[in-house]
DNA sequence: ATCAAACCCCAAACCGTTTTGGATGATGGG
DNA sequence: CCCATCATCCAAAACGGTTTGGGGTTTGAT
């Protein structure tokens, strides 16, 4: 591996102390000496050993992400890649490492305890929070800075989080459809143990209630967000006696499935049936090209990753700081998948 | 944080030496004492400090993944999430941490040097290799165990890798289409600086040549693997005077775009036009349900992650071992997206 | 010339483990 | 009874940095 600090010091005829100070920008070292040291360090390709450094300083210089895999579904949430890419940018900028643990959700508590107890991270990001998520009190007890991506309704103690305004976004989207004359709006949501899905549903329900439209349980589906599930949900709803004229959907993949089902049914998206989806702005799943394909509530998950990381780093360096929270609004992007509700065909025809 | 070894030793009236040995299973400690120690450790929730441990042992107990983000496209390869989930399982089993660095591809060399120089990882996984990838000689020089996910043609020195048989898979898929009578086969590939894309192309070309079918440059596209690009490529080819009757596609997302284009053109997939895609078996992008939607060359990227990690861990613990290589064959799954070539419509009609 | 304050530098302790090189006492063969 | 062996344990030295607590030299004011 590389050269060590002691060796570097020796080669310069200096003490390790001075070399360390020179490199870390302490004032009590002659500028000429500092220059010599930095030159030598560069030339000899010196890099401080991370483990030694963090042992000495007590800071791990690393942030942990625990990504849960639910046993039943065995699904890896596709947004992780982009979120992590965003967070990674922030960490790199700050000189932090990112360590990731993939873990079945029944072992999660154990993993958190381990990470903290063994001191391998200075802070943690909590992914995919559920209602009254037990991880939040756990991490609070463990006394480590953490930030939740999303929120957990039912937790009354304060904690740090970054979330998007799912409720408002989905309420607006629903109202948009109502304004276009739609009354039967199919709702294809993620699994409703996830907090975000619960909030989206209440946005949908509130908007309907606000206009006095009765919510129909037959038009509401909650499932893992895959193309197949979107397809099946839409197919089933379209087969109802009084099928929906519009769909509100929780992810692009679901929406692609819905589109597929419309196609199978010989329906034209945007004319016969409208679709609004949430769009995480994933790098590999863009919503159309110059002109957006789907009308969508959009919020970049990558940007969320960046900002979450920045907030957490802030918490880590200012231990005394009170919890930070940030609520990002979502944009409503008008695409080609929505249009006025078609004239109601009287069944009595 | 947690309790320290010294404290644990003190509370037991033993020396740190003995406690360390007891916990690590060394023979020179009385079994009664060992039992006392382990009990106390459990009760006091002792966890050895990772950084101190690895400083003392010289092993980081961590594997690094460097995931490159290409400047121009800013795309995060969607397979990373699943690959990492698979690798994570292996690391967890072996007690290793996984550290991930997201980095623009022009800074990659620097990041590798850093990771190795600062001793923060014991081994590295190289993602998304290109032709004559400079990272391979670099890592060889740095003298750290590494494993390439994929291969890099043009590198003549031996190195460890795990790859799927892209060439054979795509050759077989092409032959399958030829057997069905297709002669105009559109090829929608990933960007052909990636080694896997190059191999797939040669599989396609070889199969065509083997049957004496002339490859038409107008039927070959190379682009980032997104739905939009699949859509555009297929749309363009379908507009040709002599359009393809089949498509061979490099990813599910591309294939979904192709399907979309077929739909727009009023063509029925599997009857009017056939489609074969490669399927990484991503957890969130399943190829249909019970019955596969697309005919596909399938290979689980998650399994690749598991096996890659296992191989790398093997290399890490046996430093002297010669390079390991593993070539996984891909399955050809027959779905509903392929069928016999339609009768040639004579233009002179 | 004197003395305090800057300025620069260093030796040594420390972070929490593992590991080396004994030390101690019990055991057992001759 | 003596001495080698074995079973158990421990003190101290690593690992590679940072940080504490000085200690010489200059500098500058008196």
């Amino acid at each position: 591996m590389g050269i060590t600090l002691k060796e570097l010091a020796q080669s310069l005829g200096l003490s390790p102390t001075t070399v360390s100070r020179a490199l870390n920008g302490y004032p009590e070292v002659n500028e000429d000496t500092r220059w010599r040291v930095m030159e030598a360090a560069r030339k000899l390709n010196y890099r401080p050993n991370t483990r030694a450094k963090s042992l000495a300083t007590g800071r791990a210089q690393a942030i942990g992400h625990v990504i849960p895999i639910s046993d039943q579904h065995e699904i890896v949430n596709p947004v992780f890649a982009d979120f992590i890419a965003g967070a990674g940018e922030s960490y790199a900028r700050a000189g932090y490492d990112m360590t990731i643990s993939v873990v079945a959700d029944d072992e999660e508590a154990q993993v958190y305890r381990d990470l903290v107890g063994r001191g391998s991270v200075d802070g943690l990001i909590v992914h995919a929070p559920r209602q009254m998520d037990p991880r939040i009190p756990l991490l609070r007890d463990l006394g480590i800075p953490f930030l939740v991506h999303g929120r957990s309704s039912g937790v009354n103690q304060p904690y740090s989080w970054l979330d998007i305004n799912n409720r408002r976004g989905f309420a607006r989207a629903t109202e948009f459809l109502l304004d276009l004359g739609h009354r039967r709006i199919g709702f294809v949501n993620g699994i409703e143990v996830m907090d975000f899905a619960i909030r989206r549903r209440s946005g949908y329900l509130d908007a309907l209630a606000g206009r006095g439209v009765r919510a129909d349980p037959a038009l509401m589906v909650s499932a893992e967000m895959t193309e197949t599930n979107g397809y099946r949900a839409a197919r089933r709803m379209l087969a109802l006696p009084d099928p929906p004229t519009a769909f509100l959907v929780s992810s692009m993949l679901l929406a692609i499935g819905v589109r597929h089902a419309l196609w199978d049914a010989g329906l034209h998206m945007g004319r016969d049936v409208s679709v609004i989806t949430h769009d995480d702005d994933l790098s590999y799943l863009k919503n159309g090209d110059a002109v957006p394909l789907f009308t969508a509530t959009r919020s970049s998950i990558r940007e969320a990753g960046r900002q979450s990381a920045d907030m957490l780093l802030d918490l880590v360096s200012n231990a005394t700081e009170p919890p930070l929270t940030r609520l990002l609004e979502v944009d409503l992007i008008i695409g080609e998948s929505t249009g006025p509700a078609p004239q109601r065909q009287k069944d009595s025809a």
Side-chain angles (χ1 to χ4, degrees), chain A:
Chain A
M1 267 179 18
I3 190 184
T4 166
L5 180 73
K6 207 181 297 178
E7 293 164 0
L8 176 60
Q10 217 145 24
S11 87
L12 279 161
L14 288 170
S15 77
T17 309
T18 306
V19 174
S20 170
R21 297 198 140 137
L23 292 174
N24 291 318
Y26 283 75
E28 55 267 86
V29 46
N30 190 306
E31 279 310 316
D32 289 357
T33 329
R34 187 193 305 281
W35 194 85
R36 273 178 56 218
V37 170
M38 309 218 26
E39 262 307 293
R42 208 183 47 73
K43 210 162 285 173
L44 295 178
N45 233 301
Y46 168 74
R47 280 180 182 76
N49 181 297
T50 319
R51 302 194 300 284
K53 182 167 192 160
S54 65
L55 179 57
T57 59
R59 281 163 276 131
Q61 292 281 92
I63 301 294
H65 289 237
V66 178
I67 84 179
I69 308 259
S70 63
D71 264 347
Q72 310 128 8
H73 318 84
E74 282 269 319
I75 247 195
V76 187
N77 192 323
V79 307
F80 280 132
D82 263 61
F83 185 90
I84 278 173
E89 290 176 35
S90 294
Y91 298 142
R93 212 176 308 128
Y96 272 69
D97 286 337
M98 166 166 59
T99 90
I100 297 203
S101 322
V102 193
V103 60
D105 47 8
D106 54 332
E107 302 168 11
E108 252 188 302
Q110 189 55 27
V111 168
Y112 281 114
R113 279 184 211 281
D114 260 31
L115 283 171
V116 176
R118 307 170 30 171
S120 24
V121 297
D122 297 324
L124 283 162
I125 296 268
V126 173
H127 286 283
R130 305 165 173 217
Q131 225 171 355
M132 301 213 296
D133 201 301
R135 294 174 291 176
I136 294 171
L138 171 64
L139 288 174
R140 157 184 295 279
D141 285 353
L142 290 175
I144 191 170
F146 68 96
L147 181 131
V148 180
H149 177 218
R151 275 172 289 177
S152 177
S153 26
V155 174
N156 36 18
Q157 304 250 4
Y159 58 91
S160 297
W161 52 262
L162 176 145
D163 200 0
I164 60 176
N165 200 336
N166 283 300
R167 224 185 124 282
R168 170 109 59 107
F170 271 56
R172 276 180 62 197
T174 307
E175 282 160 11
F176 183 81
L177 290 171
L178 290 167
D179 287 343
L180 285 170
H182 298 279
R183 288 298 173 272
R184 304 273 299 159
I185 303 175
F187 182 45
V188 187
N189 202 8
I191 45 179
E192 289 171 354
V193 298
M194 307 305 279
D195 205 80
F196 79 88
I198 295 171
R199 289 176 195 275
R200 287 178 185 179
R201 184 180 52 184
S202 63
Y204 166 78
L205 291 177
D206 288 358
L208 288 185
R211 300 287 180 92
V213 175
R214 197 178 57 81
D216 182 350
L219 294 186
M220 296 170 62
V221 162
S222 156
E224 205 82 67
M225 302 191 288
T226 66
E227 196 244 354
T228 317
N229 284 337
Y231 176 75
R232 280 196 294 202
R235 205 181 160 89
R236 180 143 25 93
M237 291 186 198
L238 290 172
L240 291 173
D242 190 9
T245 62
F247 286 93
L248 178 60
V249 184
S250 244
S251 88
M252 285 283 290
L253 279 174
L254 284 173
I256 287 175
V258 169
R259 182 182 74 187
H260 186 185
L262 292 180
W263 174 29
D264 270 10
L267 295 167
H268 192 289
M269 184 170 80
R271 195 189 53 200
D272 304 324
V273 173
S274 291
V275 174
I276 300 188
T277 180
H278 182 72
D279 174 11
D280 291 302
D281 202 21
L282 301 181
S283 58
Y284 56 88
L285 198 55
K286 287 292 176 200
N287 181 9
D289 236 344
V291 41
L293 176 56
F294 290 103
T295 297
T297 56
R298 177 157 71 194
S299 178
S300 162
I301 201 84
R302 190 145 162 197
E303 181 59 27
R306 264 190 288 264
Q307 295 196 25
S308 297
D310 286 336
M311 289 170 69
L312 180 54
L313 290 175
D314 195 0
L315 287 167
V316 166
S317 47
N318 301 348
T320 64
E321 209 159 26
L324 300 176
T325 66
R326 187 174 301 174
L327 185 61
L328 304 175
E329 292 301 329
V330 307
D331 299 324
L332 184 61
I333 304 288
I334 311 301
E336 301 175 332
S337 65
T338 44
Q343 288 310 334
R344 191 61 165 265
Q345 315 262 28
K346 281 283 156 232
D347 303 71
S348 52

